[in-house]
Amino acid sequence: MLVPFLLLLAASLVPAIAQTPSMNVPIGAFAVDASTPNRILFANVNRQPNVLELFPAGPGLLRSIDDGLTWNPILFRPPGQAQPLIYQVIVPPTANSTVYAFTDAEDGAVWKSTDKGVTWAIANTGLPAGGGQFGPVVRGANEQTLFGKLGDGFYRTTDGAATWTLLGTLANSGAAFAVDLTQPTANAPRTLYSSIRSAVYRSIDEGATWQSASVLPLGEGTVVVAVAVDPADGNTVLASAIGTGAGTGIYRSTDRGANFEQVTNTPSANFVFDPFPFRRGVVYASVLNGGCYVRSVNAGRNWGPGVTCLNQAIGGARIAVDFGDSNSLWAATGAGIYRTQDLGATAWVSRFGSVRPTLNVTSVPFDFNLDPNTRGRLELPIRIVETDRWSVPLSLTTSGESWLSIEGSSASTPFTAVVHVSADNLAPGTYTATIRVSSAAVVNSPVEVPVRLTVRSAAAEFGYKAATFAGTGQVGTFGDGGLAIRAAVGNPDSLAIDAANGGVLLSDPTNHLIRKVTPAGIIGRAAGNGQAAFSGDGGEATLASLRTPRGIAVDAAGRLYISDSGNGRIRQVSPEGFIATFAGATAETRVPGGRGLAVDAAGNLYAAFPDNHTVFKFTPGGVISRFAGTGAPGFRGDGADARFAWLTAPDDVAVDRATGNVYIADTDNHRIRVVTPDGRIRTVAGNGSLGFQGDGDNATALALARPQGIAIDPTNGNLVIADTENHRIRIVTREGRMRTIGGTGIAGFSGDGGPALSAQFRGPVDVAVDQQGNIYVADNLNLRVRHLLPSVVPAALSLAGPPVKLAPGGYFSIYGTDFTNVTASAASTPFPEILGGVSVLVNERNARLSFVSPVQINALVPVETETGEARIQIRRDGESSPEIRAEVAATAPSILTFGQNRAVAVNPDGAVNTAEASAPAESVITLYMVGIGLTDPTVGNGEPSPSDPLARPTLPIAASIGGRAAEALFLGLTPGFVGLAQANLKLPPLEAGDHAVVVTVGGVNSNGPLVTVQAP
């Protein structure tokens, strides 16, 4: 919770980026070896130069042997590879050949040098493996004793880090840690101090047990970040609190932490007591502004007379005492290193020495595995290991192969080169080449990157057909109540399958709506009124206001969850259609910027928050906890507790209900990661590079490009990925094989009705999979939802049925898969018997077709069809589908509807009847319907209805509105239309409001949708 406050504090203090490497940069860890006349200095560069961290960590470590005039990197790992993030460096004052570096457990936790930092070895025996940051380390009474904090555990070594012993744990403890070193005997346990939020905790048995010693009077958002014990007086304990709430400042206790009083409101991140006996009680504290510190000469009772500032850099000055010169102090600041030789009385001198940094370029081979005549690309980031703030000139060359090219031949760091390979006109086989990166300004030049291209002889084994499921590619929200493929869906952002009620839901953040497509292909609103606001809790979801809704999920009971991103809330819609806030109702629990949602079998909700680099978990009761990510961007933690892993802008989550695994689209890390039920995280797809390398049997060795959406196929457990910036849809099998199933990699819109691998997508951002294995794609920039259907042979065509009751001359629809390779509508009348290569037979008679697509056919029942059972078949390419059976009745009247059960009706003024546009009492409305049966005169199959004479039902008619008889001025086929009927009804005297309308033909009642009547 401190980061926003610290960002504000530092916003105007960032110094200009250095164009030549020098040490005028923010320093994290810092230590001085005073055993030589020219001091040996150790420092690293803060990995986030615009954010002051409580324990700033930087990649690798720099060393100077000439008082800071020149600096060279210490390489814990080979040149060019990522170096450990160093949190603290210690040089024991009387054992000056020894240096300790403390980092994450994942990086080894403790590194030790016995030759002044020339060579290093891991010294972590007894420490846990995996995640966890090594926090403060305190030297003990002798040079072989160290106390340290790793995660929630407290450790001690008495043999110079050869072995470590766990002393105890304090769950949820913060960064603060101190040891009372005034206790005299080695056998007596030391008193340890730490913190949990606003409370200082104390252990009098060296960490075995802990008790709350004192609770500081801090406001929400302010926490204890540092504690220190006076090395000359164990009764005196200092604590520092910083944050966004009340109580920021330094506190002092004179009774071993039992009680604290605030002595200054100066915000500080750490304390350093002067170790020289003749300066007993002198203590320095960093100040959270430009290179400043404050001093007390009476063990923290009073501070000042004023704050001393070295420069206008980020962060406080972290003071280090020079054990070889009692008049010298060193300060690591946000703009480099400074030294004073009069205890800061007059001047500090900068030590901005020159640096010969390390070039960070991967040496891992770039492997491409492409189908013939396809292309791949990868980004090759070239950086300085220590900080991007240092810029050096670069030269990039290739070994000259025609199939390999690289964008840019010369540049300066930081630089991202784009590597292109082409399998055009190459025979199946393996090809090799080399990229060479060099710079005269670094210690590890040149770096060679091997490139391997394998051209496969066989295409992918996954076959899917592409089709549009919803959307016309037009901007807007029109079309509710009609076919989804004829409606506008805005920019679909997230998808969810409603297995409980049927249908597919989609979020449209641009229009602040959630839409739903029914199994019949009809689209309507599920939540939102289209207004960007917050309102409506407790009422109907379609009347509520949302603001930029993004992620959606549906649980087993049919409850819809919405990441109401712009309102900082998660909303819940009940199966009955009522909306409420599920999380984020208070200022303390608001969750802005939320995106992907998923629900597990137990009803727990998982939510991705890309801006916070975190995934949170909500129990069915709304209790929130951090599930994955620390809030810091980056990539770390595989194999360890997911809560201590680093994510970067995670956009989506998906749950495999069969295994309990939770998958995370770690978008800006270009990876998909999984958290297993034991809470550990690992990568299952993506190697961290941005690009496309083709497909292969090891998904973690291949590149993705900012994947934003993921889903689990419930039929086989495959992981489906919206590989957003590759404009492709990928699948990862349970065996770890990654295959492309849709998209050419070139942004565009094409390919409906054909193989999905030949179709174009434009920025797909989410995917969903139904129980039949059909894949839905939020093709965001194409303003459509696309459908990927598993390919089947014609003999295996499947029909959804049985359909509703049919009537001669009436419409019916068939749903299934792989009906045809195209989407087509009848272009003229009479409607054809064959459309898109497909025909439909009803009792061996050809039905006239109005629309066909791979998943839906709309047809007219032949007027010659007799009442009773009907056998329906689809034929294509000489093959017939299995039969389905349906009932044919003399009439099957059905009034067309839209929205929430509203009749398609027109008021006298020509406006569509809605709650906002009602019809005057006793006026005439026109409503539209189908299924009125045979007419007089008879209208031929697929032909438009005549206007003279009008075609009326041969059977008796009646109508009612609001339960009262309504006069039918006309009921029959609409002139000029095929199969469409209309009823011109006079409204009976009715009260204002909604009333059900029912039309009866031949004694058969229609459905009863609503019309709205005005007050008389």
Side-chain angles (χ1 to χ4, degrees), residues 121-152:
I122 291 178
N124 61 1
T125 300
L127 296 174
Q133 171 186 320
F134 223 125
V137 177
V138 179
R139 292 194 303 272
N142 60 66
E143 303 301 345
Q144 298 294 305
T145 300
L146 300 168
F147 294 85
K149 183 178 186 298
L150 181 59
D152 288 340

mmCIF file of all heavy atoms in Angstrom, residues 121-152:
data_model
loop_
_atom_site.group_PDB
_atom_site.id
_atom_site.type_symbol
_atom_site.label_atom_id
_atom_site.label_comp_id
_atom_site.label_asym_id
_atom_site.label_seq_id
_atom_site.Cartn_x
_atom_site.Cartn_y
_atom_site.Cartn_z
ATOM 1 N N ALA A 121 30.659 -17.759 -3.544
ATOM 2 C CA ALA A 121 30.027 -19.073 -3.460
ATOM 3 C C ALA A 121 28.744 -18.939 -2.653
ATOM 4 O O ALA A 121 28.632 -18.075 -1.774
ATOM 5 C CB ALA A 121 30.954 -20.089 -2.802
ATOM 6 N N ILE A 122 27.777 -19.788 -2.959
ATOM 7 C CA ILE A 122 26.514 -19.785 -2.205
ATOM 8 C C ILE A 122 26.762 -20.336 -0.803
ATOM 9 O O ILE A 122 27.462 -21.336 -0.626
ATOM 10 C CB ILE A 122 25.451 -20.613 -2.940
ATOM 11 C CG1 ILE A 122 25.035 -19.896 -4.237
ATOM 12 C CG2 ILE A 122 24.231 -20.843 -2.074
ATOM 13 C CD1 ILE A 122 24.036 -20.653 -5.066
ATOM 14 N N ALA A 123 26.157 -19.673 0.188
ATOM 15 C CA ALA A 123 26.311 -20.088 1.590
ATOM 16 C C ALA A 123 24.935 -20.124 2.227
ATOM 17 O O ALA A 123 24.582 -19.270 3.037
ATOM 18 C CB ALA A 123 27.234 -19.129 2.325
ATOM 19 N N ASN A 124 24.131 -21.108 1.843
ATOM 20 C CA ASN A 124 22.729 -21.118 2.274
ATOM 21 C C ASN A 124 22.300 -22.435 2.893
ATOM 22 O O ASN A 124 21.108 -22.736 2.944
ATOM 23 C CB ASN A 124 21.821 -20.799 1.094
ATOM 24 C CG ASN A 124 21.935 -21.815 -0.029
ATOM 25 O OD1 ASN A 124 22.687 -22.796 0.075
ATOM 26 N ND2 ASN A 124 21.208 -21.594 -1.116
ATOM 27 N N THR A 125 23.232 -23.218 3.401
ATOM 28 C CA THR A 125 22.861 -24.488 4.034
ATOM 29 C C THR A 125 21.946 -24.216 5.226
ATOM 30 O O THR A 125 22.264 -23.414 6.107
ATOM 31 C CB THR A 125 24.115 -25.243 4.499
ATOM 32 O OG1 THR A 125 24.952 -25.504 3.370
ATOM 33 C CG2 THR A 125 23.739 -26.549 5.172
ATOM 34 N N GLY A 126 20.779 -24.878 5.216
ATOM 35 C CA GLY A 126 19.803 -24.695 6.279
ATOM 36 C C GLY A 126 18.706 -23.717 5.949
ATOM 37 O O GLY A 126 17.729 -23.613 6.699
ATOM 38 N N LEU A 127 18.852 -22.989 4.824
ATOM 39 C CA LEU A 127 17.811 -22.051 4.415
ATOM 40 C C LEU A 127 16.856 -22.718 3.433
ATOM 41 O O LEU A 127 17.265 -23.615 2.675
ATOM 42 C CB LEU A 127 18.440 -20.819 3.765
ATOM 43 C CG LEU A 127 19.323 -19.965 4.673
ATOM 44 C CD1 LEU A 127 20.009 -18.870 3.867
ATOM 45 C CD2 LEU A 127 18.511 -19.354 5.818
ATOM 46 N N PRO A 128 15.599 -22.298 3.405
ATOM 47 C CA PRO A 128 14.646 -22.923 2.477
ATOM 48 C C PRO A 128 14.934 -22.536 1.040
ATOM 49 O O PRO A 128 15.448 -21.455 0.760
ATOM 50 C CB PRO A 128 13.291 -22.368 2.944
ATOM 51 C CG PRO A 128 13.625 -21.064 3.586
ATOM 52 C CD PRO A 128 14.966 -21.257 4.228
ATOM 53 N N ALA A 129 14.588 -23.437 0.131
ATOM 54 C CA ALA A 129 14.697 -23.140 -1.296
ATOM 55 C C ALA A 129 13.419 -22.459 -1.770
ATOM 56 O O ALA A 129 12.410 -22.438 -1.070
ATOM 57 C CB ALA A 129 14.942 -24.425 -2.088
ATOM 58 N N GLY A 130 13.465 -21.929 -2.985
ATOM 59 C CA GLY A 130 12.271 -21.331 -3.576
ATOM 60 C C GLY A 130 12.168 -19.862 -3.269
ATOM 61 O O GLY A 130 13.167 -19.166 -3.087
ATOM 62 N N GLY A 131 10.916 -19.357 -3.216
ATOM 63 C CA GLY A 131 10.688 -17.921 -3.083
ATOM 64 C C GLY A 131 10.959 -17.416 -1.688
ATOM 65 O O GLY A 131 11.140 -18.165 -0.730
ATOM 66 N N GLY A 132 11.006 -16.120 -1.570
ATOM 67 C CA GLY A 132 11.235 -15.468 -0.289
ATOM 68 C C GLY A 132 12.415 -14.537 -0.348
ATOM 69 O O GLY A 132 13.510 -14.925 -0.725
ATOM 70 N N GLN A 133 12.202 -13.294 0.028
ATOM 71 C CA GLN A 133 13.251 -12.279 -0.032
ATOM 72 C C GLN A 133 14.001 -12.229 1.283
ATOM 73 O O GLN A 133 13.407 -12.193 2.350
ATOM 74 C CB GLN A 133 12.615 -10.926 -0.325
ATOM 75 C CG GLN A 133 13.561 -9.744 -0.212
ATOM 76 C CD GLN A 133 12.827 -8.436 -0.363
ATOM 77 O OE1 GLN A 133 11.937 -8.321 -1.183
ATOM 78 N NE2 GLN A 133 13.179 -7.457 0.442
ATOM 79 N N PHE A 134 15.347 -12.241 1.210
ATOM 80 C CA PHE A 134 16.127 -12.083 2.419
ATOM 81 C C PHE A 134 16.036 -10.632 2.845
ATOM 82 O O PHE A 134 16.518 -9.737 2.172
ATOM 83 C CB PHE A 134 17.592 -12.478 2.189
ATOM 84 C CG PHE A 134 18.153 -13.303 3.327
ATOM 85 C CD1 PHE A 134 18.729 -14.526 3.102
ATOM 86 C CD2 PHE A 134 18.066 -12.831 4.630
ATOM 87 C CE1 PHE A 134 19.223 -15.287 4.144
ATOM 88 C CE2 PHE A 134 18.554 -13.584 5.682
ATOM 89 C CZ PHE A 134 19.142 -14.817 5.444
ATOM 90 N N GLY A 135 15.388 -10.416 3.978
ATOM 91 C CA GLY A 135 15.226 -9.071 4.494
ATOM 92 C C GLY A 135 16.456 -8.619 5.254
ATOM 93 O O GLY A 135 17.574 -9.014 4.936
ATOM 94 N N PRO A 136 16.284 -7.808 6.310
ATOM 95 C CA PRO A 136 17.448 -7.272 7.022
ATOM 96 C C PRO A 136 18.296 -8.372 7.650
ATOM 97 O O PRO A 136 17.790 -9.401 8.097
ATOM 98 C CB PRO A 136 16.821 -6.386 8.101
ATOM 99 C CG PRO A 136 15.428 -6.143 7.648
ATOM 100 C CD PRO A 136 15.028 -7.335 6.862
ATOM 101 N N VAL A 137 19.578 -8.151 7.644
ATOM 102 C CA VAL A 137 20.537 -9.029 8.309
ATOM 103 C C VAL A 137 21.309 -8.199 9.319
ATOM 104 O O VAL A 137 21.727 -7.074 9.031
ATOM 105 C CB VAL A 137 21.497 -9.688 7.305
ATOM 106 C CG1 VAL A 137 22.525 -10.545 8.032
ATOM 107 C CG2 VAL A 137 20.717 -10.534 6.307
ATOM 108 N N VAL A 138 21.489 -8.725 10.532
ATOM 109 C CA VAL A 138 22.153 -8.016 11.622
ATOM 110 C C VAL A 138 23.391 -8.796 12.034
ATOM 111 O O VAL A 138 23.325 -10.025 12.215
ATOM 112 C CB VAL A 138 21.198 -7.855 12.826
ATOM 113 C CG1 VAL A 138 21.890 -7.129 13.975
ATOM 114 C CG2 VAL A 138 19.936 -7.119 12.398
ATOM 115 N N ARG A 139 24.516 -8.120 12.156
ATOM 116 C CA ARG A 139 25.723 -8.781 12.648
ATOM 117 C C ARG A 139 25.580 -9.033 14.137
ATOM 118 O O ARG A 139 25.074 -8.197 14.888
ATOM 119 C CB ARG A 139 26.961 -7.917 12.399
ATOM 120 C CG ARG A 139 27.316 -7.762 10.932
ATOM 121 C CD ARG A 139 28.720 -7.196 10.781
ATOM 122 N NE ARG A 139 28.891 -5.912 11.454
ATOM 123 C CZ ARG A 139 28.643 -4.740 10.898
ATOM 124 N NH1 ARG A 139 28.213 -4.683 9.648
ATOM 125 N NH2 ARG A 139 28.828 -3.622 11.574
ATOM 126 N N GLY A 140 26.076 -10.167 14.563
ATOM 127 C CA GLY A 140 26.015 -10.507 15.972
ATOM 128 C C GLY A 140 27.200 -9.959 16.750
ATOM 129 O O GLY A 140 27.887 -9.028 16.320
ATOM 130 N N ALA A 141 27.453 -10.585 17.908
ATOM 131 C CA ALA A 141 28.511 -10.097 18.785
ATOM 132 C C ALA A 141 29.899 -10.395 18.243
ATOM 133 O O ALA A 141 30.879 -9.786 18.671
ATOM 134 C CB ALA A 141 28.349 -10.716 20.176
ATOM 135 N N ASN A 142 30.014 -11.326 17.312
ATOM 136 C CA ASN A 142 31.301 -11.606 16.683
ATOM 137 C C ASN A 142 31.107 -11.696 15.184
ATOM 138 O O ASN A 142 29.979 -11.703 14.686
ATOM 139 C CB ASN A 142 31.923 -12.900 17.237
ATOM 140 C CG ASN A 142 31.022 -14.103 16.992
ATOM 141 O OD1 ASN A 142 30.792 -14.506 15.851
ATOM 142 N ND2 ASN A 142 30.482 -14.675 18.083
ATOM 143 N N GLU A 143 32.209 -11.761 14.445
ATOM 144 C CA GLU A 143 32.133 -11.683 12.987
ATOM 145 C C GLU A 143 31.560 -12.939 12.354
ATOM 146 O O GLU A 143 31.202 -12.938 11.179
ATOM 147 C CB GLU A 143 33.527 -11.413 12.406
ATOM 148 C CG GLU A 143 34.193 -10.147 12.925
ATOM 149 C CD GLU A 143 33.382 -8.903 12.634
ATOM 150 O OE1 GLU A 143 32.457 -8.969 11.800
ATOM 151 O OE2 GLU A 143 33.658 -7.859 13.252
ATOM 152 N N GLN A 144 31.443 -14.033 13.107
ATOM 153 C CA GLN A 144 30.909 -15.275 12.569
ATOM 154 C C GLN A 144 29.403 -15.394 12.775
ATOM 155 O O GLN A 144 28.783 -16.307 12.242
ATOM 156 C CB GLN A 144 31.604 -16.476 13.228
ATOM 157 C CG GLN A 144 33.097 -16.557 12.971
ATOM 158 C CD GLN A 144 33.392 -16.805 11.516
ATOM 159 O OE1 GLN A 144 32.898 -17.763 10.916
ATOM 160 N NE2 GLN A 144 34.185 -15.921 10.918
ATOM 161 N N THR A 145 28.823 -14.485 13.538
ATOM 162 C CA THR A 145 27.399 -14.572 13.874
ATOM 163 C C THR A 145 26.604 -13.538 13.083
ATOM 164 O O THR A 145 26.932 -12.349 13.074
ATOM 165 C CB THR A 145 27.176 -14.355 15.380
ATOM 166 O OG1 THR A 145 27.879 -15.367 16.104
ATOM 167 C CG2 THR A 145 25.691 -14.416 15.720
ATOM 168 N N LEU A 146 25.548 -14.020 12.444
ATOM 169 C CA LEU A 146 24.632 -13.169 11.706
ATOM 170 C C LEU A 146 23.205 -13.611 12.011
ATOM 171 O O LEU A 146 22.938 -14.815 12.143
ATOM 172 C CB LEU A 146 24.876 -13.255 10.199
ATOM 173 C CG LEU A 146 26.249 -12.847 9.664
ATOM 174 C CD1 LEU A 146 26.383 -13.275 8.205
ATOM 175 C CD2 LEU A 146 26.440 -11.351 9.783
ATOM 176 N N PHE A 147 22.301 -12.655 12.116
ATOM 177 C CA PHE A 147 20.871 -12.926 12.229
ATOM 178 C C PHE A 147 20.196 -12.372 10.973
ATOM 179 O O PHE A 147 20.520 -11.263 10.536
ATOM 180 C CB PHE A 147 20.268 -12.245 13.454
ATOM 181 C CG PHE A 147 20.767 -12.761 14.771
ATOM 182 C CD1 PHE A 147 21.937 -12.258 15.330
ATOM 183 C CD2 PHE A 147 20.063 -13.733 15.463
ATOM 184 C CE1 PHE A 147 22.398 -12.714 16.548
ATOM 185 C CE2 PHE A 147 20.513 -14.200 16.686
ATOM 186 C CZ PHE A 147 21.689 -13.694 17.239
ATOM 187 N N GLY A 148 19.266 -13.120 10.406
ATOM 188 C CA GLY A 148 18.597 -12.646 9.201
ATOM 189 C C GLY A 148 17.148 -13.068 9.149
ATOM 190 O O GLY A 148 16.706 -13.992 9.860
ATOM 191 N N LYS A 149 16.385 -12.397 8.312
ATOM 192 C CA LYS A 149 14.958 -12.667 8.134
ATOM 193 C C LYS A 149 14.703 -13.041 6.678
ATOM 194 O O LYS A 149 15.021 -12.278 5.761
ATOM 195 C CB LYS A 149 14.132 -11.437 8.507
ATOM 196 C CG LYS A 149 12.626 -11.620 8.421
ATOM 197 C CD LYS A 149 11.909 -10.358 8.858
ATOM 198 C CE LYS A 149 10.396 -10.563 8.916
ATOM 199 N NZ LYS A 149 9.816 -10.896 7.608
ATOM 200 N N LEU A 150 14.142 -14.222 6.446
ATOM 201 C CA LEU A 150 13.817 -14.704 5.110
ATOM 202 C C LEU A 150 12.338 -15.054 5.084
ATOM 203 O O LEU A 150 11.906 -16.018 5.709
ATOM 204 C CB LEU A 150 14.657 -15.926 4.747
ATOM 205 C CG LEU A 150 14.445 -16.528 3.352
ATOM 206 C CD1 LEU A 150 14.726 -15.495 2.277
ATOM 207 C CD2 LEU A 150 15.329 -17.738 3.147
ATOM 208 N N GLY A 151 11.540 -14.238 4.376
ATOM 209 C CA GLY A 151 10.095 -14.444 4.407
ATOM 210 C C GLY A 151 9.569 -14.219 5.809
ATOM 211 O O GLY A 151 9.825 -13.192 6.437
ATOM 212 N N ASP A 152 8.855 -15.200 6.351
ATOM 213 C CA ASP A 152 8.337 -15.116 7.717
ATOM 214 C C ASP A 152 9.247 -15.811 8.717
ATOM 215 O O ASP A 152 8.915 -15.902 9.904
ATOM 216 C CB ASP A 152 6.941 -15.762 7.788
ATOM 217 C CG ASP A 152 5.875 -14.919 7.097
ATOM 218 O OD1 ASP A 152 6.108 -13.707 6.918
ATOM 219 O OD2 ASP A 152 4.826 -15.480 6.734
#
